[in-house]
Amino acid sequence: APGPQQAVAARNAPSSTQAAVALGARSNAKLPADRIKQLYRFVFGRPHTPAETELGLEFVSTAPWEHFAQVLLMTNNLMFVD
């Protein structure tokens, strides 16, 4: 099973940072909720839930969009295959 060290290594990899910057820049929506909707579609291929929107809005109120994009890219859904 993957451990926390692998997650830290993946999060700090230059390719991870570059992917997050590119993903954050890919969304062209003006409203934060619409941008979250686009990013969820890009990353997961599904709509966001109301709870995910609420958490996302809270997150981006204090952090740049690239950080939010990196959070999405670092989810277990994308990092590990069962």
Side-chain angles (χ1 to χ4, degrees):
Q5 297 87 353
Q6 289 173 302
V8 170
R11 196 264 181 228
N12 291 329
S15 59
S16 173
T17 303
Q18 292 166 352
V21 169
L23 178 62
R26 186 172 174 198
S27 174
N28 58 0
K30 302 282 187 248
L31 298 175
D34 291 339
R35 197 164 184 186
I36 290 168
K37 177 181 178 178
Q38 281 186 332
L39 292 174
Y40 266 86
R41 281 271 184 212
F42 294 155
V43 174
F44 301 114
R46 66 167 176 81
H48 60 296
T49 67
E52 289 167 337
T53 302
E54 187 177 326
L55 288 170
L57 289 170
E58 186 177 327
F59 186 90
V60 298
S61 71
T62 61
W65 282 101
E66 331 43 90
H67 290 186
F68 181 71
Q70 192 165 36
V71 167
L72 296 180
L73 294 172
M74 294 291 113
T75 60
N76 283 342
N77 294 2
L78 297 178
M79 294 296 297
F80 307 108
V81 177
D82 290 333

